[in-house]
Amino acid sequence: MIPIFDSKRQYQEIGSDIEKAVCEVLRSGAYILGPNTKALEQELAEYTQSKYAIALNSGTDALHLALRALDIGAGDEVITTAFTFVATTEAIGIVNAKPVFVDIDPDTFNIDPAKIEAAITPKTKAIIPVHLYGQPCDMDAIMDIAKRHDLYVIEDACQAMGATYKGRKVGSIGDIGCFSFYPTKNLGGMGDGGLITTNAEHLKDRIIALRNHGGAIRYHHDEIGVNSRLDEIQSAILRVKLPHLDSWNKKRRERAAIYNELFAGCEDIITPKELDDTYCIYHQYTVKIPNRDEIFDKMHEAGIGTMLYYPIPLHLQKVHEYLGVGRGSLPHTEKNTDIVMSLPMFPELTREEQEFIANTLIKLVEEAKALA
């Protein structure tokens, strides 16, 4: 079986360093908001080209607290994409705001800036572009719209740590950037974790208070907050991994190039596109194919761990039925969720494995075409 992501291979590379770091935390007696978390925040602020970084217990909380810090709540609207994981709109719902969906650019799977302005109303307060699969959104266009309409921009960069747009790290371009350290992410912990980045000191201070029960001073609580503190063990693990991230991202790009080469002769397999002046870090390598569902099952029968990210767009999920956004409203989103499939992608993937994956997929696509 070739998995979609293999954490065991990564552990073989750096496991001894991780074990050492974890044991040091265990011996220290400092387990919450200790020296590793403070150091990680400083290191990630520098890495993401941001003034401030605040470590949290999940990417979902990062999105939630970003909205809270911007005072977005009941009666407000937030423009985003329906082609993403539910955490994006879950956070909007948690603060009692309303998600407003905009269709995607079918080449990048990201929100189409050309369709954003038509969705703006007097209730619109923010835009959440999602850098899906590690591919940066067209941030110049999005920031221009936000500036002209006085809107906040919250970058959902949960899949894009290390990706760049015109030389700038994603998460540093909007008002707030949100990241996830879920174990399968390019920079993943060994449990849940998240991060907020911002260049605004007042937002940094508010988020620090919100993550710790709504108070900046111990036992002084200014508002209703949450308990969203990244623990010292996860911080120590991430500090071991962070120096490897650029190398791992480079290897992902190299493996994406190999896939592109292997699929070049098959016109029925559409490979990922990158915007000009961007550095995609291929959290996923996602292709478009005909007969997706049938081929997906056969790939698993062949021992290849493909995944469907995401088979049902958010506007058609039960949780968002109340919005009344029916089928046909987001044609590019709906079409692409029916034809996309993500292939195994991780830095330790071998050329031999990629050739087996590609040859198997090409064979299945050609067989399905012959039977059509």
Side-chain angles (χ1 to χ4, degrees):
M1 184 71 183
I2 304 173
I4 189 78
F5 175 79
D6 194 343
S7 58
K8 293 180 180 178
R9 296 192 206 186
Q10 186 185 87
Y11 191 75
Q12 289 174 355
E13 177 185 352
I14 60 170
S16 59
D17 292 334
I18 287 175
E19 290 170 6
K20 179 182 177 182
V22 169
C23 287
E24 287 176 353
V25 172
L26 296 178
R27 286 192 292 266
S28 74
Y31 305 137
I32 297 291
L33 296 181
N36 278 289
T37 301
K38 292 176 183 177
L40 178 69
E41 289 174 335
Q42 293 173 351
E43 291 160 6
L44 284 170
E46 180 178 353
Y47 181 81
T48 60
Q49 300 172 344
S50 303
K51 287 185 179 180
Y52 309 107
I54 306 100
L56 308 167
N57 70 6
S58 70
T60 307
D61 264 4
L63 291 160
H64 165 212
L65 295 186
L67 291 161
R68 284 284 309 277
L70 296 171
D71 292 317
I72 294 170
D76 295 332
E77 294 178 352
V78 179
I79 294 173
T80 192
T81 170
F83 197 160
T84 180
F85 183 57
V86 72
T88 308
T89 51
E90 188 174 43
I92 297 170
I94 288 171
V95 299
N96 295 312
K98 175 185 174 183
V100 175
F101 295 117
V102 166
D103 210 355
I104 61 167
D105 176 339
D107 288 334
T108 65
F109 306 118
N110 288 333
I111 192 169
D112 186 347
K115 295 181 170 64
I116 290 176
E117 283 195 276
I120 295 173
T121 76
K123 296 181 180 180
T124 307
K125 293 295 188 294
I127 305 168
I128 301 183
V130 179
H131 304 295
L132 196 70
Y133 305 145
Q135 168 68 272
C137 295
D138 185 352
M139 290 305 297
D140 277 354
I142 292 168
M143 295 302 295
D144 177 65
I145 293 167
K147 183 177 181 180
R148 286 189 284 107
H149 293 272
D150 195 24
L151 303 176
Y152 296 115
V153 175
I154 300 170
E155 294 179 72
D156 183 340
C158 287
Q159 299 183 2
M161 178 68 80
T164 64
Y165 175 82
K166 296 186 177 180
R168 298 178 64 185
K169 291 282 179 66
V170 299
S172 69
I173 303 168
D175 296 280
I176 294 177
C178 301
F179 297 88
S180 168
F181 298 132
Y182 188 76
T184 59
K185 296 297 193 289
N186 294 35
L187 179 62
M190 292 181 172
D192 277 315
L195 186 83
I196 277 179
T197 53
T198 185
N199 292 312
E201 185 175 9
H202 72 284
L203 293 178
K204 179 261 296 185
D205 292 341
R206 179 94 183 273
I207 293 160
I208 287 174
L210 284 168
R211 77 168 175 184
N212 196 26
H213 302 287
I217 302 172
R218 194 171 191 178
Y219 302 131
H220 291 249
H221 308 283
D222 302 317
E223 60 181 319
I224 298 296
V226 297
N227 179 1
S228 185
R229 303 169 301 207
L230 186 67
D231 69 72
E232 277 291 287
I233 289 177
Q234 294 303 329
S235 295
I237 291 168
L238 290 165
R239 291 189 69 206
V240 171
K241 289 189 173 189
L242 181 57
H244 299 273
L245 180 58
D246 284 342
S247 172
W248 288 339
N249 284 343
K250 181 181 178 182
K251 289 177 181 178
R252 284 173 178 267
R253 288 182 58 82
E254 290 169 353
R255 279 139 188 81
I258 291 171
Y259 273 138
N260 292 343
E261 170 197 330
L262 294 171
F263 291 130
C266 186
E267 62 181 14
D268 293 310
I269 299 174
I270 301 176
T271 55
K273 303 291 191 301
E274 292 188 40
L275 289 175
D276 292 339
D277 296 322
T278 64
Y279 187 86
C280 176
I281 48 85
Y282 289 96
H283 174 61
Q284 302 295 340
Y285 183 92
T286 303
V287 297
K288 303 178 187 181
I289 56 171
N291 305 101
R292 194 273 312 277
D293 292 344
E294 174 188 348
I295 290 172
F296 174 77
D297 292 337
K298 290 183 177 180
M299 289 288 279
H300 279 260
E301 291 171 7
I304 299 169
T306 54
M307 288 290 287
L308 306 182
Y309 302 110
Y310 300 92
I312 305 173
L314 293 183
H315 69 296
L316 300 181
Q317 295 274 0
K318 184 176 181 180
V319 68
H320 292 312
E321 281 182 354
Y322 75 97
L323 295 172
V325 182
R327 186 174 293 278
S329 58
L330 303 174
H332 289 308
T333 298
E334 292 165 24
K335 178 180 178 180
N336 279 274
T337 51
D338 285 341
I339 62 175
V340 296
M341 183 171 70
S342 297
L343 305 180
M345 171 54 76
F346 47 93
E348 301 82 11
L349 192 66
T350 68
R351 172 90 190 206
E352 182 181 18
E353 288 172 324
Q354 288 191 266
E355 289 176 351
F356 174 70
I357 293 164
N359 291 337
T360 302
L361 181 56
I362 291 169
K363 179 182 177 182
L364 291 172
V365 168
E366 290 177 345
E367 288 175 351
K369 186 177 182 179
L371 292 172

Short mmCIF file of all heavy atoms in Angstrom, two decimals, residues 83-84 108-110 130-136 158-160 163 186 252 272 280-287 307-311 336-337 340-342 345:
data_model
loop_
_atom_site.label_atom_id
_atom_site.label_comp_id
_atom_site.label_asym_id
_atom_site.label_seq_id
_atom_site.Cartn_x
_atom_site.Cartn_y
_atom_site.Cartn_z
N PHE A 83 -15.31 25.27 -1.88
CA PHE A 83 -14.37 24.18 -2.19
C PHE A 83 -13.25 24.23 -1.16
O PHE A 83 -12.15 24.70 -1.41
CB PHE A 83 -13.82 24.37 -3.60
CG PHE A 83 -13.18 23.12 -4.19
CD1 PHE A 83 -13.02 23.01 -5.55
CD2 PHE A 83 -12.77 22.07 -3.41
CE1 PHE A 83 -12.44 21.89 -6.12
CE2 PHE A 83 -12.19 20.93 -3.95
CZ PHE A 83 -12.03 20.86 -5.31
N THR A 84 -13.55 23.73 0.04
CA THR A 84 -12.60 23.73 1.15
C THR A 84 -13.10 22.80 2.23
O THR A 84 -14.23 22.31 2.16
CB THR A 84 -12.41 25.16 1.71
OG1 THR A 84 -11.47 25.15 2.79
CG2 THR A 84 -13.73 25.71 2.24
N THR A 108 -7.11 26.71 -10.68
CA THR A 108 -6.37 26.68 -9.42
C THR A 108 -7.15 26.08 -8.26
O THR A 108 -6.57 25.81 -7.21
CB THR A 108 -5.95 28.10 -9.01
OG1 THR A 108 -7.13 28.87 -8.73
CG2 THR A 108 -5.16 28.78 -10.12
N PHE A 109 -8.46 25.92 -8.40
CA PHE A 109 -9.38 25.47 -7.36
C PHE A 109 -9.62 26.55 -6.29
O PHE A 109 -10.37 26.32 -5.34
CB PHE A 109 -8.90 24.18 -6.66
CG PHE A 109 -8.59 23.05 -7.59
CD1 PHE A 109 -7.31 22.53 -7.68
CD2 PHE A 109 -9.58 22.49 -8.37
CE1 PHE A 109 -7.02 21.48 -8.53
CE2 PHE A 109 -9.30 21.43 -9.23
CZ PHE A 109 -8.01 20.92 -9.32
N ASN A 110 -8.99 27.69 -6.42
CA ASN A 110 -9.13 28.76 -5.42
C ASN A 110 -10.24 29.73 -5.79
O ASN A 110 -10.69 29.78 -6.94
CB ASN A 110 -7.81 29.53 -5.28
CG ASN A 110 -6.75 28.73 -4.56
OD1 ASN A 110 -7.06 27.85 -3.76
ND2 ASN A 110 -5.49 29.03 -4.83
N VAL A 130 -8.95 30.79 0.58
CA VAL A 130 -8.33 29.56 1.04
C VAL A 130 -7.24 29.17 0.05
O VAL A 130 -7.52 28.97 -1.14
CB VAL A 130 -9.35 28.42 1.18
CG1 VAL A 130 -8.67 27.13 1.64
CG2 VAL A 130 -10.48 28.81 2.12
N HIS A 131 -6.01 29.05 0.51
CA HIS A 131 -4.90 28.63 -0.35
C HIS A 131 -4.93 27.11 -0.45
O HIS A 131 -4.13 26.40 0.17
CB HIS A 131 -3.57 29.12 0.24
CG HIS A 131 -3.50 30.60 0.46
ND1 HIS A 131 -3.54 31.51 -0.57
CD2 HIS A 131 -3.39 31.33 1.61
CE1 HIS A 131 -3.45 32.74 -0.08
NE2 HIS A 131 -3.36 32.65 1.25
N LEU A 132 -5.88 26.61 -1.23
CA LEU A 132 -6.18 25.18 -1.26
C LEU A 132 -5.03 24.37 -1.84
O LEU A 132 -4.44 24.76 -2.87
CB LEU A 132 -7.46 24.93 -2.05
CG LEU A 132 -8.10 23.56 -1.84
CD1 LEU A 132 -8.71 23.45 -0.45
CD2 LEU A 132 -9.15 23.29 -2.91
N TYR A 133 -4.77 23.23 -1.20
CA TYR A 133 -3.73 22.28 -1.65
C TYR A 133 -2.33 22.89 -1.64
O TYR A 133 -1.40 22.34 -2.22
CB TYR A 133 -4.02 21.75 -3.05
CG TYR A 133 -5.37 21.11 -3.25
CD1 TYR A 133 -6.05 21.25 -4.46
CD2 TYR A 133 -5.97 20.35 -2.25
CE1 TYR A 133 -7.28 20.64 -4.67
CE2 TYR A 133 -7.20 19.74 -2.45
CZ TYR A 133 -7.86 19.90 -3.66
OH TYR A 133 -9.08 19.30 -3.86
N GLY A 134 -2.16 24.06 -0.98
CA GLY A 134 -0.85 24.71 -0.97
C GLY A 134 -0.62 25.66 -2.12
O GLY A 134 0.50 26.17 -2.28
N GLN A 135 -1.66 25.92 -2.92
CA GLN A 135 -1.58 26.85 -4.05
C GLN A 135 -2.06 28.24 -3.63
O GLN A 135 -3.21 28.41 -3.25
CB GLN A 135 -2.44 26.34 -5.20
CG GLN A 135 -2.68 27.33 -6.33
CD GLN A 135 -1.44 27.66 -7.14
OE1 GLN A 135 -0.68 28.58 -6.79
NE2 GLN A 135 -1.21 26.90 -8.18
N PRO A 136 -1.20 29.26 -3.67
CA PRO A 136 -1.62 30.59 -3.26
C PRO A 136 -2.74 31.16 -4.13
O PRO A 136 -2.76 30.94 -5.35
CB PRO A 136 -0.34 31.42 -3.41
CG PRO A 136 0.77 30.44 -3.30
CD PRO A 136 0.25 29.19 -3.95
N CYS A 158 -4.16 27.13 6.03
CA CYS A 158 -3.99 25.90 6.81
C CYS A 158 -3.27 24.81 6.02
O CYS A 158 -2.66 23.92 6.62
CB CYS A 158 -5.34 25.40 7.31
SG CYS A 158 -6.03 26.41 8.65
N GLN A 159 -3.33 24.87 4.69
CA GLN A 159 -2.65 23.87 3.86
C GLN A 159 -1.42 24.45 3.17
O GLN A 159 -0.88 23.82 2.25
CB GLN A 159 -3.61 23.32 2.80
CG GLN A 159 -4.83 22.62 3.36
CD GLN A 159 -5.72 22.03 2.28
OE1 GLN A 159 -5.43 22.10 1.09
NE2 GLN A 159 -6.83 21.42 2.69
N ALA A 160 -0.96 25.61 3.60
CA ALA A 160 0.00 26.33 2.75
C ALA A 160 1.19 26.93 3.49
O ALA A 160 1.75 27.93 3.05
CB ALA A 160 -0.73 27.43 2.00
N ALA A 163 4.25 28.41 1.37
CA ALA A 163 3.91 28.86 0.02
C ALA A 163 4.10 30.37 -0.07
O ALA A 163 3.95 31.09 0.92
CB ALA A 163 2.47 28.49 -0.32
N ASN A 186 2.10 19.96 5.80
CA ASN A 186 3.52 20.03 5.44
C ASN A 186 4.39 20.29 6.66
O ASN A 186 5.50 19.76 6.78
CB ASN A 186 3.75 21.13 4.40
CG ASN A 186 3.09 20.81 3.07
OD1 ASN A 186 2.02 20.22 3.02
ND2 ASN A 186 3.73 21.19 1.98
N ARG A 252 8.55 18.08 -2.29
CA ARG A 252 7.18 17.95 -2.78
C ARG A 252 7.06 18.54 -4.19
O ARG A 252 6.41 17.95 -5.07
CB ARG A 252 6.20 18.66 -1.83
CG ARG A 252 5.91 17.90 -0.54
CD ARG A 252 5.08 18.74 0.40
NE ARG A 252 4.73 18.03 1.62
CZ ARG A 252 3.62 17.33 1.82
NH1 ARG A 252 2.71 17.26 0.86
NH2 ARG A 252 3.39 16.72 2.98
N PRO A 272 -2.22 19.73 -11.96
CA PRO A 272 -2.40 21.04 -11.30
C PRO A 272 -1.72 22.18 -12.05
O PRO A 272 -0.69 22.00 -12.70
CB PRO A 272 -1.75 20.84 -9.93
CG PRO A 272 -1.73 19.36 -9.72
CD PRO A 272 -1.57 18.76 -11.07
N CYS A 280 3.91 27.12 -5.08
CA CYS A 280 2.97 26.15 -4.52
C CYS A 280 3.75 25.08 -3.77
O CYS A 280 4.76 24.58 -4.27
CB CYS A 280 2.14 25.53 -5.64
SG CYS A 280 1.02 24.22 -5.12
N ILE A 281 3.28 24.71 -2.59
CA ILE A 281 4.03 23.73 -1.80
C ILE A 281 3.36 22.34 -1.79
O ILE A 281 3.77 21.47 -1.05
CB ILE A 281 4.33 24.24 -0.37
CG1 ILE A 281 3.09 24.82 0.32
CG2 ILE A 281 5.41 25.30 -0.42
CD1 ILE A 281 2.25 23.80 0.99
N TYR A 282 2.38 22.16 -2.67
CA TYR A 282 1.80 20.84 -2.94
C TYR A 282 1.50 20.05 -1.66
O TYR A 282 1.97 18.93 -1.48
CB TYR A 282 2.68 20.04 -3.89
CG TYR A 282 2.64 20.60 -5.28
CD1 TYR A 282 3.62 21.48 -5.73
CD2 TYR A 282 1.57 20.31 -6.13
CE1 TYR A 282 3.56 22.05 -6.99
CE2 TYR A 282 1.51 20.86 -7.40
CZ TYR A 282 2.50 21.73 -7.83
OH TYR A 282 2.43 22.28 -9.08
N HIS A 283 0.68 20.67 -0.81
CA HIS A 283 0.13 19.88 0.29
C HIS A 283 -0.60 18.67 -0.28
O HIS A 283 -0.54 17.58 0.28
CB HIS A 283 -0.82 20.74 1.11
CG HIS A 283 -1.55 19.98 2.16
ND1 HIS A 283 -0.90 19.32 3.18
CD2 HIS A 283 -2.88 19.74 2.35
CE1 HIS A 283 -1.80 18.72 3.95
NE2 HIS A 283 -2.99 18.95 3.46
N GLN A 284 -1.29 18.87 -1.38
CA GLN A 284 -1.86 17.77 -2.15
C GLN A 284 -1.48 17.95 -3.61
O GLN A 284 -1.33 19.08 -4.09
CB GLN A 284 -3.39 17.73 -2.02
CG GLN A 284 -3.91 17.60 -0.61
CD GLN A 284 -3.53 16.29 0.04
OE1 GLN A 284 -3.20 15.31 -0.64
NE2 GLN A 284 -3.58 16.24 1.36
N TYR A 285 -1.34 16.82 -4.30
CA TYR A 285 -1.20 16.83 -5.76
C TYR A 285 -2.51 16.28 -6.30
O TYR A 285 -2.82 15.09 -6.16
CB TYR A 285 -0.03 15.97 -6.23
CG TYR A 285 0.18 16.01 -7.73
CD1 TYR A 285 1.04 16.94 -8.30
CD2 TYR A 285 -0.49 15.13 -8.57
CE1 TYR A 285 1.23 17.00 -9.67
CE2 TYR A 285 -0.30 15.17 -9.94
CZ TYR A 285 0.55 16.11 -10.49
OH TYR A 285 0.74 16.16 -11.85
N THR A 286 -3.32 17.17 -6.89
CA THR A 286 -4.70 16.84 -7.23
C THR A 286 -4.91 16.94 -8.73
O THR A 286 -4.66 17.98 -9.34
CB THR A 286 -5.67 17.79 -6.50
OG1 THR A 286 -5.43 17.68 -5.09
CG2 THR A 286 -7.11 17.43 -6.79
N VAL A 287 -5.38 15.84 -9.32
CA VAL A 287 -5.64 15.78 -10.75
C VAL A 287 -7.14 15.76 -11.02
O VAL A 287 -7.94 15.45 -10.14
CB VAL A 287 -4.97 14.54 -11.39
CG1 VAL A 287 -3.47 14.62 -11.26
CG2 VAL A 287 -5.52 13.25 -10.78
N MET A 307 -7.16 10.12 -2.30
CA MET A 307 -8.18 10.74 -1.47
C MET A 307 -9.01 11.72 -2.30
O MET A 307 -8.54 12.25 -3.31
CB MET A 307 -7.54 11.49 -0.30
CG MET A 307 -6.96 10.58 0.77
SD MET A 307 -8.21 9.70 1.74
CE MET A 307 -8.83 11.05 2.75
N LEU A 308 -10.22 11.99 -1.81
CA LEU A 308 -11.11 12.95 -2.46
C LEU A 308 -11.24 14.17 -1.55
O LEU A 308 -11.93 14.13 -0.54
CB LEU A 308 -12.49 12.34 -2.72
CG LEU A 308 -12.51 11.03 -3.50
CD1 LEU A 308 -13.95 10.56 -3.71
CD2 LEU A 308 -11.78 11.16 -4.83
N TYR A 309 -10.53 15.24 -1.92
CA TYR A 309 -10.61 16.51 -1.18
C TYR A 309 -11.21 17.57 -2.11
O TYR A 309 -10.50 18.14 -2.91
CB TYR A 309 -9.22 16.99 -0.76
CG TYR A 309 -8.41 16.06 0.09
CD1 TYR A 309 -7.28 15.42 -0.43
CD2 TYR A 309 -8.74 15.83 1.42
CE1 TYR A 309 -6.52 14.60 0.36
CE2 TYR A 309 -7.96 15.00 2.21
CZ TYR A 309 -6.85 14.39 1.68
OH TYR A 309 -6.07 13.57 2.47
N TYR A 310 -12.50 17.80 -2.14
CA TYR A 310 -13.54 17.32 -1.22
C TYR A 310 -14.72 16.88 -2.08
O TYR A 310 -15.06 17.58 -3.05
CB TYR A 310 -13.93 18.42 -0.24
CG TYR A 310 -12.73 18.86 0.58
CD1 TYR A 310 -11.94 19.91 0.17
CD2 TYR A 310 -12.38 18.16 1.74
CE1 TYR A 310 -10.82 20.27 0.91
CE2 TYR A 310 -11.28 18.53 2.49
CZ TYR A 310 -10.49 19.57 2.07
OH TYR A 310 -9.38 19.93 2.79
N PRO A 311 -15.36 15.74 -1.77
CA PRO A 311 -16.36 15.19 -2.67
C PRO A 311 -17.70 15.93 -2.68
O PRO A 311 -18.42 15.86 -3.66
CB PRO A 311 -16.55 13.76 -2.15
CG PRO A 311 -16.18 13.83 -0.71
CD PRO A 311 -15.07 14.85 -0.63
N ASN A 336 -15.87 20.46 -10.39
CA ASN A 336 -14.55 20.01 -9.96
C ASN A 336 -14.60 19.05 -8.79
O ASN A 336 -13.78 18.14 -8.69
CB ASN A 336 -13.65 21.20 -9.67
CG ASN A 336 -13.06 21.79 -10.93
OD1 ASN A 336 -12.03 21.35 -11.40
ND2 ASN A 336 -13.74 22.77 -11.52
N THR A 337 -15.56 19.22 -7.89
CA THR A 337 -15.65 18.27 -6.78
C THR A 337 -16.06 16.88 -7.26
O THR A 337 -15.88 15.90 -6.56
CB THR A 337 -16.64 18.75 -5.70
OG1 THR A 337 -17.89 19.10 -6.31
CG2 THR A 337 -16.09 19.95 -4.95
N VAL A 340 -12.13 15.64 -9.18
CA VAL A 340 -10.77 15.74 -8.62
C VAL A 340 -10.42 14.50 -7.78
O VAL A 340 -11.30 13.89 -7.15
CB VAL A 340 -10.58 17.00 -7.75
CG1 VAL A 340 -10.72 18.25 -8.60
CG2 VAL A 340 -11.54 17.01 -6.58
N MET A 341 -9.15 14.17 -7.80
CA MET A 341 -8.63 13.08 -6.96
C MET A 341 -7.19 13.42 -6.60
O MET A 341 -6.39 13.79 -7.47
CB MET A 341 -8.70 11.75 -7.70
CG MET A 341 -8.23 10.56 -6.86
SD MET A 341 -8.56 8.97 -7.66
CE MET A 341 -7.39 9.03 -9.03
N SER A 342 -6.87 13.30 -5.33
CA SER A 342 -5.51 13.60 -4.86
C SER A 342 -4.70 12.32 -4.77
O SER A 342 -5.17 11.30 -4.27
CB SER A 342 -5.57 14.29 -3.49
OG SER A 342 -6.22 15.53 -3.58
N MET A 345 1.33 12.10 -1.92
CA MET A 345 2.27 13.22 -1.99
C MET A 345 2.92 13.43 -0.64
O MET A 345 2.26 13.81 0.32
CB MET A 345 1.55 14.49 -2.45
CG MET A 345 2.40 15.76 -2.37
SD MET A 345 3.99 15.66 -3.22
CE MET A 345 3.50 15.82 -4.93
#
